[in-house]
């Protein structure tokens, strides 16, 4: 029976060195909802995605050139597969954010916290620890309370897209942990291949579109370019490099739980930058997310 290779439990100090970058990724992803909604419309989704990935790709190729040349055929195939999954995640998330509220998007995508340990348990044919499931459930309850301040609206097409995105995120984390050839390669060249694959996918899909990446870029002002650079450098390059680095040092469930604090950071960005306000339920929800994440860190080990 094939199983996922799960690293040994980390020492407390080493665990924090792994967890803090993941929490920072959750923070920038939380801010990505405001940035994406600010610069993207239904007509420009593919164009923005091409620009977002293409901006960082040349620097990645130069930085990882030696590692790219060292990749074997199986590693190229594995990284390409991860890139296809990654492109699906971004398509679903970006179209989903355009067609639903940021509140709904943040709540639904947090279900990755539940999907990942359940999928991991199904693959390894083991039962998830009750403590971990309890921590995940507490975090999701916190997300529900947190997002009630913005009003959970009637489910729309965008909500279904975000649900599919949560499932795709789970698949991406599990595949990264499961592909042995990929695990033996450097994180930087693997990230480069993934993002390069995604650029190709988005460029092919945008062929024949009435809104090209170049025309979209020409219409951008300083605010749009700032948002695009934030999405490209931090939410794309930094975030997925850290995710690939961390999944080798801890369990997929732990990675998912830490990244599941994303809605909390999205609320913080909304308060600081979007002028949103949280009521008593929202504050309670934020506290539950923090408590659930801390509990889950200990139980997921």
């Amino acid at each position: 029976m094939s199983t996922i290779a799960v690293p040994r439990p980390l020492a407390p100090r080493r665990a924090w060195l792994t967890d803090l970058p993941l929490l920072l990724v959750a923070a920038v992803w939380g801010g990505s909802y405001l940035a994406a909604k600010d610069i993207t419309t239904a007509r420009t989704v593919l164009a923005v995605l091409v620009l977002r990935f293409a901006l960082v790709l040349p620097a990645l190729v130069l930085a990882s050139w030696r590692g790219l040349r060292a990749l074997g055929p199986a590693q190229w195939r594995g990284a390409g597969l991860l890139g296809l999954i990654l492109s699906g995640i971004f398509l679903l998330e970006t179209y989903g954010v355009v067609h639903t509220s940021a509140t709904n998007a943040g709540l639904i995508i947090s279900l990755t916290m539940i999907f990942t340990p359940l999928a991991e348990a199904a693959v390894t044919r083991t039962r998830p620890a009750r403590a971990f499931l309890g921590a995940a459930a507490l975090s999701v309850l916190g997300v529900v309370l947190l997002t009630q301040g913005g009003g959970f609206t009637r489910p729309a097409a965008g909500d279904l897209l975000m649900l599919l995105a949560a499932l795709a995120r789970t698949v991406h984390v599990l595949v990264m942990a499961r592909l042995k050839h990929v695990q033996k390669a450097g994180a930087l060249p693997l990230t480069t291949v993934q993002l390069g694959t995604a650029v190709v996918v988005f460029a092919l899909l945008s062929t024949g579109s009435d809104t090209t990446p170049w025309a979209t870029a020409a219409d951008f002002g300083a605010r749009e370019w700032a948002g695009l650079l934030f999405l490209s450098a931090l939410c794309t390059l930094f975030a997925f490099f850290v995710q690939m680095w961390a999944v080798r040092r801890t369990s997929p469930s732990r990675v998912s739980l830490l990244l599941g604090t994303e809605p909390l950071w999205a609320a913080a960005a909304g308060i600081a930058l979007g002028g949103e306000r949280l009521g008593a339920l929202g504050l309670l929800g934020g506290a539950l997310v923090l408590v659930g994440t801390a509990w889950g860190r200990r139980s997921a080990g």
Side-chain angles (χ1 to χ4, degrees):
M1 178 179 65
S2 60
T3 60
I4 294 176
V6 178
R8 295 179 180 178
L10 301 175
R13 183 175 179 181
R14 188 182 174 190
W16 274 113
L17 291 176
T18 302
D19 293 349
L20 286 176
L22 285 169
L23 287 174
L24 184 55
V25 168
V28 297
W29 274 352
S32 70
Y33 292 107
L34 283 175
K37 289 184 76 67
D38 192 41
I39 69 173
T40 311
T41 66
R43 293 179 63 251
T44 63
V45 166
L46 289 172
V48 169
L49 286 174
V50 171
L51 293 170
R52 174 178 177 175
F53 282 68
L55 279 177
V56 299
L57 193 58
L60 271 176
V61 171
L62 289 175
S64 62
W65 183 249
R66 181 177 297 180
L68 288 171
R69 294 179 63 184
L71 293 179
Q75 292 170 329
W76 276 95
R77 289 193 297 271
L81 173 61
L82 290 172
L84 290 175
I85 300 172
L86 180 63
S87 63
I89 293 171
F90 275 96
L91 283 169
L92 291 167
E93 286 187 355
T94 309
Y95 276 112
V97 167
V98 169
H99 292 290
T100 190
S101 67
T103 297
N104 283 26
L107 171 59
I108 296 170
I109 203 66
S110 72
L111 293 177
T112 306
M113 290 186 294
I114 295 296
F115 295 155
T116 300
L118 292 179
E120 187 179 7
V123 170
T124 60
R125 299 182 183 180
T126 58
R127 173 176 290 186
R130 291 184 178 180
F132 184 88
L133 290 179
L138 185 65
S139 296
V140 170
L141 174 60
V143 170
V144 172
L145 296 177
L146 180 67
T147 56
Q148 285 305 296
F152 188 71
T153 60
R154 180 179 300 177
D159 299 324
L160 177 59
L161 293 175
M162 295 306 300
L163 180 62
L164 294 175
L167 290 170
R169 280 195 186 190
T170 298
V171 172
H172 190 260
V173 172
L174 292 179
V175 171
M176 277 195 294
R178 195 169 171 79
L179 290 178
K180 294 182 180 179
H181 294 295
V182 168
Q183 293 174 3
K184 298 177 182 178
L188 184 58
L190 290 179
T191 301
T192 303
V193 175
Q194 284 192 77
L195 297 188
T197 302
V199 169
V200 172
V201 171
F202 300 144
L204 289 175
L205 291 176
S206 66
T207 302
S209 174
D210 57 348
T211 304
T212 66
W214 330 119
T216 300
D219 290 336
F220 276 179
R223 180 185 179 92
E224 287 78 14
W225 275 108
L228 182 63
L229 290 174
F230 172 75
L231 291 171
S232 182
L234 291 180
C235 301
T236 304
L237 177 61
F238 169 76
F240 280 92
F241 179 81
V242 169
Q243 188 181 15
M244 290 197 66
W245 168 81
V247 79
R248 303 177 183 191
R249 290 161 173 80
T250 185
S251 70
S253 295
R254 186 166 180 150
V255 170
S256 179
L257 190 70
L258 289 164
L259 295 181
T261 62
E262 179 182 330
L264 180 62
W265 300 109
I271 293 172
L273 302 176
E276 299 177 0
R277 293 291 180 269
L278 288 179
L281 283 180
L283 292 174
L284 174 60
L288 290 180
V289 171
L290 292 176
V291 171
T293 302
W295 181 18
R297 285 182 65 252
R298 291 193 296 270
S299 60

